[in-house]
């Protein structure tokens, strides 16, 4: 019981040391390849009705073996996960593959959903922008949903006597027109399972088209925002340069005004000194003329007035 405990058990220590992340890193790519093989194993018997009994038997045991691998891998990740309920909620396709082996069509959808992990490989192989990664994710999602819908409806309809979807190309055409919400009506499901799949495909098509529209709108908004930011930055640079020039002109004007004031003060002091010198000169002349009996010296016009 200590191994399963939440104290110092080996499982708790492994969780703290990142055992879940290491296990996922080592097995993720392998499980993606197995999911791709799993899709082939599930689809091949549906599309090729002339398979020999030996090949069908081999595909059956390959199906069982891959399913066992998925069960073991899911259980190991569940045990290593720190939050098991969150793990279960976040890995619904894996749970579907594990719990419903008889339902081939549902397992096919779950396997295709797991193949969406290929987007992470694309993201690791190329450091593209968010718009490119979103486009890749949407394209893989659309192809996967289209293929799953076609295979599921073909499997449900092909043996019904009233069905008009009797070949896989017909199923692909129907899935394409249904997912794009065109709905020509030349092909349509008549079985309950086929109609349920049609409803799922319609909703998925609307959602995918919404993602595409939102991605395109986000791209345009991003371009406009970048252009607006560049224009704003340029205007701010021009305004900053103008403000700096204005501050420099104001500083030069202040220096010039201070120099003019200093010169004015100096001129006032010089004028006062000249006036004092003139008064002293007039006084000296007046005194000299008084001793000689001549007329007094003339004062400056501004003082005589």
């Amino acid at each position: 019981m200590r191994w399963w405990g939440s104290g110092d058990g080996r499982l708790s220590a492994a969780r703290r040391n990142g055992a879940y992340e290491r296990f996922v890193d080592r097995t993720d790519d392998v499980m993606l390849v197995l999911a791709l093989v799993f899709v082939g194993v599930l689809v091949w018997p549906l599309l090729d009705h002339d398979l020999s009994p030996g090949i069908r038997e081999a595909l059956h045991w390959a199906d069982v073996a891959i399913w066992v691998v998925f069960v073991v891998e899911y259980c190991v990740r569940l045990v290593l996960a720190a939050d098991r309920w969150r793990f279960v909620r976040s890995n619904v396709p894996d749970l579907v593959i594990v719990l419903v082996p008889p339902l081939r069509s549902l397992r096919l959808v779950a396997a295709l959903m797991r193949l969406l992990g290929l987007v992470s490989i694309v993201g690791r192989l190329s450091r593209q922008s968010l718009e490119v990664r979103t486009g890749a994710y949407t394209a893989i999602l659309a192809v996967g949903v289209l293929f799953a819908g076609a295979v599921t409806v073909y499997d449900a309809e092909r043996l019904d006597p009233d069905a008009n979807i009797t070949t896989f190309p017909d199923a692909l055409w129907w899935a394409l027109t249904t997912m794009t919400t065109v709905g020509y009506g030349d092909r349509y499901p008549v079985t309950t399972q086929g109609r349920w799949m049609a409803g799922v495909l319609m909703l998925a098509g609307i959602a995918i088209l919404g993602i595409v529209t939102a991605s395109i709108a986000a791209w345009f908004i991003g371009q406009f925002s970048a252009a607006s930011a560049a224009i704003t930055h340029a205007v701010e640079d021009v305004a900053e340069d103008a403000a700096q020039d204005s501050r420099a002109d104001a500083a030069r004007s202040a220096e010039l005004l201070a120099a003019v004031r200093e010169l004015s003060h100096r001129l006032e002091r010089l004028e006062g000194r000249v006036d004092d010198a003139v008064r002293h000169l007039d006084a000296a002349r007046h005194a000299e003329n008084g001793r000689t009996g001549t007329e007094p010296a003339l004062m400056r016009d501004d003082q005589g007035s």
Side-chain angles (χ1 to χ4, degrees):
M1 294 301 294
R2 179 180 175 81
W3 190 82
W4 292 90
S6 58
D8 297 329
R10 287 179 293 177
L11 180 58
S12 298
R15 289 173 177 170
R16 290 193 299 269
N17 294 329
Y20 177 85
E21 289 75 12
R22 292 196 301 272
F23 179 79
V24 171
D25 290 340
R26 293 174 182 175
T27 61
D28 194 30
D29 294 341
V30 175
M31 298 308 297
L32 285 175
V33 173
L34 280 180
L36 186 60
V37 175
F38 194 50
V39 171
V41 170
L42 292 175
V43 171
W44 191 3
L46 295 177
L47 302 183
D48 190 354
H49 303 295
D50 298 328
L51 285 177
S52 63
I55 295 179
R56 288 187 179 275
E57 184 71 13
L59 291 176
H60 168 72
W61 287 111
D63 182 3
V64 173
I66 296 174
W67 175 77
V68 170
V69 173
F70 275 120
V71 171
V72 173
E73 187 259 353
Y74 184 88
C75 291
V76 172
R77 287 194 295 154
L78 179 62
V79 170
L80 294 178
D83 189 342
R84 296 180 182 178
W85 283 113
R86 182 179 180 182
F87 169 80
V88 172
R89 293 193 301 268
S90 302
N91 297 273
V92 175
D94 299 344
L95 182 62
V96 172
I97 294 176
V98 170
L99 294 183
V100 288
L103 301 180
R104 180 180 296 267
S105 58
L106 190 57
R107 294 167 69 201
L108 173 63
V109 174
L112 289 172
M113 290 296 294
R114 177 154 191 173
L115 284 177
L116 290 176
L118 289 172
V119 177
S120 63
I121 297 180
V122 175
R124 292 197 298 267
L125 295 179
S126 61
R127 302 298 181 183
Q128 300 294 334
S129 62
L130 177 61
E131 290 81 4
V132 174
R133 293 197 299 270
T134 303
Y137 180 86
T138 305
I140 295 176
L141 178 62
V143 172
V145 171
L146 176 68
F147 186 75
V151 171
T152 302
V153 168
Y154 175 66
D155 184 34
E157 299 284 316
R158 62 189 178 87
L159 299 179
D160 193 283
D162 298 328
N164 60 84
I165 302 176
T166 56
T167 64
F168 187 66
D170 288 342
L172 278 176
W173 171 250
W174 168 85
L176 180 62
T177 57
T178 301
M179 196 171 70
T180 56
T181 66
V182 175
Y184 286 114
D186 54 343
R187 294 289 183 268
Y188 53 89
V190 297
T191 63
T192 301
Q193 181 180 349
R195 289 173 177 171
W196 274 104
M197 190 61 208
V200 172
L201 205 58
M202 292 174 192
L203 296 176
I206 293 172
I208 292 174
L209 289 177
I211 294 174
V212 172
T213 303
S215 299
I216 295 175
W219 183 83
F220 277 109
I221 292 174
Q223 296 299 315
F224 290 143
S225 298
S228 177
I231 294 174
T232 303
H233 185 68
V235 171
E236 289 177 352
D237 289 342
V238 172
E240 181 64 23
D241 293 339
Q244 291 179 357
D245 294 340
S246 177
R247 289 192 293 267
D249 292 340
R252 288 193 294 269
S253 299
E255 292 176 358
L256 182 59
L257 181 60
V260 170
R261 288 176 178 174
E262 180 65 22
L263 181 59
S264 176
H265 293 161
R266 291 183 179 181
L267 289 175
E268 289 178 357
R269 289 195 296 270
L270 180 59
E271 185 179 11
R273 291 177 183 177
V274 170
D275 291 340
D276 291 341
V278 170
R279 284 194 296 269
H280 284 93
L281 182 59
D282 289 342
R285 289 179 179 178
H286 180 74
E288 182 65 25
N289 291 335
R291 288 193 297 269
T292 59
T294 59
E295 293 294 329
L298 295 175
M299 301 296 290
R300 294 182 62 189
D301 293 339
D302 55 353
Q303 293 179 350
S305 62

